[in-house]
Amino acid sequence: MSETFHVGLIGLGVMGQRMLARLAAHARLRATWVWDADPAALARTLSAYPQLQPAASAEAVIAAPGLHTLYIATPPAPHMALSNRAFDAGLAVFCEKPLTVDFDAARRTIARIDAGGLRAAVNFSLASSPGLAALQAAAQGGIGQLQAVQIELAFTRWPRPWQAAAGAWLAERAEGGFSREVLSHFIFVLQRVLGTAQVLASQPDYPADGRSAERALEATLQAGGVPVQVQAAVAGVVDDFNRFTLQGSTGAVELRDWFGLQQRHGDGPWLPQGDAAAMRQRGQADQLDQWVALIEGRPHSLPGFAEALAVQQTIEALLAGQPATAR
Ligand SMILES: NC(=O)c1ccc[n+]([C@@H]2O[C@H](COP(=O)([O-])OP(=O)(O)OC[C@H]3O[C@@H](n4cnc5c(N)ncnc54)[C@H](O)[C@@H]3O)[C@@H](O)[C@H]2O)c1
C-alpha cells in the first residue's frame, strides 16, 4: 500500500485554509501539525479541523514527530528562514509564491538546495495546468512561428474580494500588490514556456502615499526572442480578469480565468478546449500528486526555488520601473 505523508502547515490565512481543504481530499497527503503567528487563526483552524495538532511555534511544527513535508503559507518575508529550518530537519518543502523579496537569502538557500540535493518546490498553481501544457506544445511548433505574447490583468478592487481576510501586507508595496500576487503566475508560465524574460520597459503606477501597492502596470518584455506586452490595472468591473495569449503565425492559444483554455487556427473562431472548472480541478489535484513526487524524491513538474527566484527577479524589475527610452 502507498505510504501516507504527513504535512505540517505554517500560515493559516486565506491560502492555508484553501490548502487544508485540498489536502482533506487527497489520498496520500495528510495535514497533521499546524501553526500560525496569530493565535486567532490557529484557533479558527482547530475548530474547523479538530483532528489537527496545534504546535507551540514554527520550530515545533518542523520538529514534530513523523512529519514528511512542510507547507509554508505565510506572507513572503519568513519564507526563506522557515524553508531553511525545514531543510535542517530533513523535510521536503512546498512554499507559497512569491518565493521572497530577499534575493540574497534566496540565492544562499538555492545554493544549499543544489549542494545537498534537497527537496523544495514553490506553489505556482498553473504548473500542473492543462493550459501550460497546451502553451508548451504550441511553442514547439503547434502554432507556427511565435510572434507575440500578451498578458492582461484587471481587478475591480485590490486585494480581490476572496482575499479580504488576508493581512494588510497584500495591499502594501513592501511585499504585496497584484504583480507579485497574480502577474507572477503568468510570468512563471511565460518563462517556463519561452525562457527567462528581459524587461525592456515598465511603468508601474503607485499611489502617492509611498506605502500602498501598485495600481497599474504597463510593460514590454522579451522572452525567447518573442515580444511580450503586459497590461494590468485595478480597474473595470470584473473581480479577477486574466488572459494570457500566445500568438503564432498559424494560430494562437489563450489561457483565461486561470484554468480556461482556448485555441484558434489562423483568424478562425476561438475554440474552447475542455471545461474550465474540470481543468481547474484536475490541475489542482495534479499539483498535489506532484508534491507527493517531490517528497518521494521522484521527478516532478513543480517549479524549484531557482525557477521561482527567476520569476521574482522579473517581477521586481517590473515593479522597479524602466523608462521606454532605456531600450
Ligand atoms: N498559489 C496561489 O495561488 C496563492 C494564492 C493566494 C496567496 N498565495 C500566497 O500565499 C501566501 C499567504 O497568502 P494569504 O493570502 O494566505 O495571506 P494571509 O494574510 O491571509 O495569511 C497569512 C497568514 O500567515 C500568518 N503569519 C504571518 N507571519 C507568520 C510567521 N512568521 N509565522 C507563522 N505565521 C505567520 C498570518 O498570521 C496569517 O494568518 C503568500 O505568499 C501569498 O502570496 C498564493
Side-chain angles (χ1 to χ4, degrees):
M1 211 172 72
S2 301
E3 191 180 354
T4 299
F5 294 119
H6 292 194
V7 182
L9 293 92
I10 298 179
L12 303 169
V14 174
M15 204 53 211
Q17 299 305 318
R18 289 191 159 198
M19 186 56 82
L20 280 169
R22 284 175 206 163
L23 288 170
H26 196 271
R28 297 195 55 203
L29 292 169
R30 182 177 305 153
T32 50
W33 292 83
V34 291
W35 188 69
D36 193 290
D38 176 4
L42 185 57
R44 274 195 302 275
T45 302
L46 293 171
S47 70
Y49 299 93
Q51 72 279 17
L52 293 175
Q53 306 269 5
S57 63
E59 291 75 15
V61 173
I62 290 165
L67 206 66
H68 296 95
T69 186
L70 181 71
Y71 171 67
I72 302 169
T74 66
H79 286 179
M80 288 305 95
L82 290 170
S83 296
N84 277 290
R85 285 199 192 123
F87 296 141
D88 292 343
L91 300 179
V93 171
F94 194 33
C95 182
E96 267 308 335
K97 41 61 55 179
L99 183 67
T100 178
V101 292
D102 180 347
F103 290 172
D104 286 340
R107 285 191 200 98
R108 285 194 299 275
T109 305
I110 290 163
R112 182 181 177 193
I113 291 167
D114 290 346
L118 305 178
R119 297 161 299 160
V122 176
N123 187 26
F124 281 106
S125 30
L126 293 172
S128 305
S129 65
L132 175 58
L135 285 169
Q136 286 174 314
Q140 280 156 22
I143 54 171
Q145 185 82 22
L146 299 182
Q147 295 175 329
V149 172
Q150 194 165 20
I151 303 173
E152 300 154 275
L153 309 176
F155 315 94
T156 307
R157 285 188 295 280
W158 185 264
R160 294 160 290 180
W162 66 269
Q163 294 178 301
W169 68 274
L170 192 56
E172 292 176 359
R173 198 169 161 172
E175 288 188 278
F178 64 71
S179 300
R180 296 192 185 104
E181 194 61 21
V182 179
L183 182 58
S184 61
H185 286 280
F186 296 97
I187 295 295
F188 158 70
V189 166
L190 175 74
Q191 297 196 158
R192 177 70 69 96
V193 174
L194 294 178
T196 305
Q198 190 194 354
V199 177
L200 302 179
S202 177
Q203 285 182 293
D205 182 15
Y206 292 106
D209 65 11
R211 191 177 54 85
S212 302
E214 72 280 8
R215 303 291 294 171
L217 180 92
E218 289 205 12
T220 308
L221 306 88
Q222 194 168 42
V226 180
V228 180
Q229 290 293 332
V230 174
Q231 277 191 310
V234 181
V237 294
V238 180
D239 286 342
D240 191 2
F241 171 82
N242 56 69
R243 183 160 60 192
F244 180 111
T245 312
L246 176 61
Q247 179 68 50
S249 56
T250 62
V253 179
E254 185 175 283
L255 300 190
R256 58 159 52 218
D257 299 333
W258 296 103
F259 286 84
L261 171 64
Q262 47 184 7
Q263 303 203 26
R264 76 195 297 198
H265 297 289
D267 291 334
W270 284 104
L271 303 172
Q273 311 288 305
D275 173 60
M279 288 198 288
R280 172 186 293 267
Q281 223 172 15
R282 205 166 87 214
Q284 288 176 344
D286 191 53
Q287 188 86 336
L288 298 191
D289 292 342
Q290 296 301 312
W291 185 359
V292 169
L294 171 82
I295 297 167
E296 292 182 329
R298 290 188 283 114
H300 60 80
S301 61
L302 301 172
F305 278 29
E307 190 175 0
L309 175 61
V311 171
Q312 205 50 33
Q313 283 168 324
T314 301
I315 291 292
E316 298 303 324
L318 289 167
L319 286 172
Q322 186 163 321
T325 49
R327 262 185 276 179

